[in-house]
Structures are given as structure tokens and as C-alpha cells.
Amino acid sequence: MAGGSRDLGRTVTSRVLAILGAFDSAHPQLTLTEIARRSGVTLTTAHRLVHELVASKALSRDDDGRFHIGLRIWELGQLAPRRLIEVAHPWLQDLFGSTGENVHLAVRDGVEVLYVDKVYGRRAVPIVSRTGARLPMHPTGVGKALLAFEDEWFITSYLSRKLERPTPHTVTEPGRLARELASVRAQGYAFTYEEMTLGSCSAAAPIIVDGRPIAAVGVVLSSRRARELPQLVEPLLTGARQIARAYQAAGAA
């Protein structure tokens, strides 16, 4: 009884969702023991449900015994609303073509940014963001661009949290960060300098639809080229406006 006490009161659906939720961009492959630990499901229950998920192709098992998300989940994911990604992607490609640097699209999910699309090349500076990854808002260009245009109550709530500090350059002081966000809101774009990753800097602009920030587009450069960030402002602002118009037009169609 004690061994199964963690599963008491949980539906089968909640357990399955917890197992699938154990995987993320930082943990794309997991052992059965890791799945049980990260999902909070007992090892016995995890063993049974994982093998059912493998049989239905929701999970796949590698030769080394680890599991990863299966093709069935990927297929279902393609059915999710994709209007933003579809209308934004051509503009991301244009930005990449003109800069040759990593260009990404992100949305806010709670107090994090979720990267939903990315265009990059082999010669671009390596970055930690990738499609499906989540990062804190305050150290990232896209996160600052989104946070600055949120409602005042949300900004106040965000600044009252204990803020992560990925690098020594991350701004975590509430007063200083509030002033930065006010500047971002006034000018319409955000810069970061080695705040998320040492060796890289970024510029980003929010995509505003009906007065609300629905996403942000950003470009990441090597810190050695930080002086070039101001040159990215106009292309970013133009791209953000065009994406907003295309998004509204697609919704009206």
C-alpha cells in the first residue's frame, strides 16, 4: 500500500499526462526510473503506463533502454493552432537572410518564454534557446520585449519574485529591471548583453495585436558584435509589424 501511496487519488489520465510531462527540451530522453521520479508516479505504475504508451507510439524506446516522445505525439502536436508560426515564419526567414544570425519567435507561457520557431545557420553563434524550450523572461531579449508590454499588475508580480541569475550580467534588481522595462516599452524594442549566456547578446521586438503582445521576435549575435545591435532595430520592428498584420489578416480570412 505504501509503495502506491503516491498514486492514490490520481486518475489514469493525470498519471499519463504527468509521464508525458516528464519530458522537456532539457530531458528529451529518460530512463524508466527517471520518468517515475520526474512524474511523481510510482515505478510500478510508470512501468505499466510507459509500455502502454510505447505500444500506442506515444513514446518510443531507444536501443539503450531510454524513452523519448513518439511519432504519435508529434503528429497530434501538428494539429495544435499554428497560425502564428505559419504567418511569422517567412518573416523570420527574411530576417535570417539579411543578418545571417539566429532568429527566433517566442510567446509568453506563465512567467517563462516558450520558443515556438527558429531559423538559424551553421555559422551563427550557438545559443541555449531551441524550439520547444522555455527560459525565464528577464534575461532574454524576447522575454524583456514581452514583459515590458504586459499589464502593470503582471510586471509588478513578476518583479516581486526571486529572479534567476544565469550570468553575472543578468539584471535581477527589481528597481533597475523596472526602469529597463519602461525604456523597452517607450522605445519598442529590447537589448540584452550576456544576460542569458556569456558570449552572446540579443535584440528583440514584441508583436502587438489589438494592444497586446502575442509574441516577440529576436536576433542573437556574438558579444563581439554587440555594437551591431542598433542596426537590427529597424528590421526587427518592421518584421514585428508585418507579422502582426499578417496574423490579423489570417484571423479575418
Side-chain angles (χ1 to χ4, degrees), residues 128 135-141 144 164-173 176-177 180-181 184 190-202 223 229:
V128 295
L135 291 175
M137 298 184 77
H138 61 283
T140 61
K144 281 188 179 181
E164 301 173 50
R165 195 174 191 188
T167 80
H169 304 288
T170 308
V171 179
T172 58
E173 299 84 353
R176 180 182 170 190
L177 189 52
E180 281 198 15
L181 294 176
V184 170
F191 289 156
T192 63
Y193 300 93
E194 298 191 327
E195 293 183 49
M196 188 66 229
T197 310
L198 294 175
S200 66
C201 57
S202 67
S223 296
L229 285 180

Side-chain angles (χ1 to χ4, degrees), residues 150-219:
E150 285 293 339
D151 292 330
E152 193 61 40
W153 69 265
F154 181 85
I155 297 175
T156 300
S157 175
Y158 188 94
L159 295 180
S160 69
R161 302 166 56 249
K162 180 175 176 56
L163 301 180
E164 301 173 50
R165 195 174 191 188
T167 80
H169 304 288
T170 308
V171 179
T172 58
E173 299 84 353
R176 180 182 170 190
L177 189 52
R179 291 190 294 273
E180 281 198 15
L181 294 176
S183 296
V184 170
R185 191 178 186 103
Q187 64 196 15
Y189 58 88
F191 289 156
T192 63
Y193 300 93
E194 298 191 327
E195 293 183 49
M196 188 66 229
T197 310
L198 294 175
S200 66
C201 57
S202 67
I207 299 168
I208 307 294
V209 174
D210 295 329
R212 299 290 305 164
I214 65 165
V217 59
V219 177

Side-chain angles (χ1 to χ4, degrees), residues 229-245:
L229 285 180
Q231 301 172 25
L232 299 174
V233 170
E234 194 52 44
L236 275 170
L237 292 177
T238 299
R241 287 192 294 265
Q242 295 291 352
I243 292 170
R245 292 192 190 105

Side-chain angles (χ1 to χ4, degrees), residues 74-170:
W74 179 84
E75 290 172 343
L76 292 173
Q78 301 308 299
L79 301 178
R82 295 178 56 84
R83 178 159 57 108
L84 173 62
I85 298 173
E86 289 172 353
V87 300
H89 193 76
W91 297 104
L92 301 188
Q93 290 179 311
D94 285 351
L95 274 171
F96 172 74
S98 62
T99 65
E101 301 297 337
N102 292 300
V103 179
H104 47 225
L105 181 73
V107 298
R108 179 174 75 82
D109 187 14
V111 294
E112 299 176 308
V113 286
L114 172 64
Y115 291 84
V116 296
D117 199 8
K118 179 178 175 180
V119 180
Y120 61 98
R122 291 177 298 155
R123 299 180 181 178
V125 61
I127 57 175
V128 295
S129 67
R130 55 182 173 179
T131 303
R134 298 170 185 272
L135 291 175
M137 298 184 77
H138 61 283
T140 61
V142 287
K144 281 188 179 181
L146 287 167
L147 183 58
F149 285 83
E150 285 293 339
D151 292 330
E152 193 61 40
W153 69 265
F154 181 85
I155 297 175
T156 300
S157 175
Y158 188 94
L159 295 180
S160 69
R161 302 166 56 249
K162 180 175 176 56
L163 301 180
E164 301 173 50
R165 195 174 191 188
T167 80
H169 304 288
T170 308

